[in-house]
Amino acid sequence: MSSTRRRRARGGRGRGREPAVPVAEEDLDARAAAAVVPQLGAGHLLLDQERLVEALRQAIDVDDAPTVVRYSKEKLPDPIPALRRRDGIDELAAAPDAEVLVVGHGQFVGLALQVGQRLTQQGIKVRVVDPLWTLPINPALVELASQHQLVVTI
């Protein structure tokens, strides 16, 4: 990551005002991630194309703090359609009176759906969601988690 990108990611100003800093996953080593991401208090994720565009738009709209959108340089996964969106959270599968909430982040959403399917095959009622932003934690996700006996994050 260039020194300009690091400075902007930490809240420093470059030539222009750039609150959103897209960062490829491979550009952040463990030290850089520890130095940059916690200071931001913003989200990071791995996305399909539709969600990546949405995340970038949301990040640009933030005007009171810098933001980071983390994405993979690998081929974008196919979009996974949501059953519904509520308070910024995509619900991807939902059984009535679900006992288990499976939260999939970014490229792990497909795996979260597979876990949900396996649990369903075992007779366990499951809801699978994609919250888009990892940090800050969406209060609606906390509320949703409180309605389930078990929460699994992937």
Side-chain angles (χ1 to χ4, degrees):
M1 183 180 340
S2 73
S3 62
T4 301
R5 283 175 58 193
R6 279 193 294 272
R7 184 173 60 250
R8 288 181 183 155
R10 288 192 297 262
R13 298 286 183 221
R15 290 185 181 170
R17 184 170 180 271
E18 296 189 43
V21 180
V23 177
E25 174 187 15
E26 292 81 2
D27 289 342
L28 283 178
D29 64 22
R31 288 179 313 227
V36 174
V37 175
Q39 293 178 21
L40 298 173
H44 63 286
L45 55 152
L46 303 167
L47 304 163
D48 64 47
Q49 182 176 354
E50 181 180 327
R51 297 288 272 176
L52 177 58
V53 169
E54 179 183 354
L56 288 170
R57 286 187 177 139
Q58 288 182 15
I60 289 168
D61 288 342
V62 173
D63 61 3
D64 62 345
T67 58
V68 169
V69 176
R70 188 176 99 179
Y71 61 94
S72 174
K73 288 182 179 178
E74 296 190 19
K75 180 182 178 290
L76 293 170
D78 293 331
I80 298 173
L83 299 174
R84 68 188 127 279
R85 176 173 290 178
R86 197 173 340 166
D87 299 320
I89 299 171
D90 281 356
E91 190 172 70
L92 307 173
D97 302 319
E99 304 162 304
V100 177
L101 177 64
V102 179
V103 182
H105 292 277
Q107 288 178 320
F108 296 110
V109 169
L111 180 58
L113 279 169
Q114 290 175 7
V115 168
Q117 290 168 351
R118 287 185 181 182
L119 291 171
T120 299
Q121 290 170 351
Q122 296 176 26
I124 299 170
K125 296 178 183 178
V126 177
R127 174 173 288 132
V128 180
V129 298
D130 174 7
L132 182 61
W133 291 99
T134 303
L135 297 171
I137 296 172
N138 184 335
L141 182 59
V142 174
E143 174 61 29
L144 189 59
S146 73
Q147 299 168 14
H148 296 79
Q149 295 175 17
L150 177 67
V151 177
V152 177
T153 60
I154 301 174

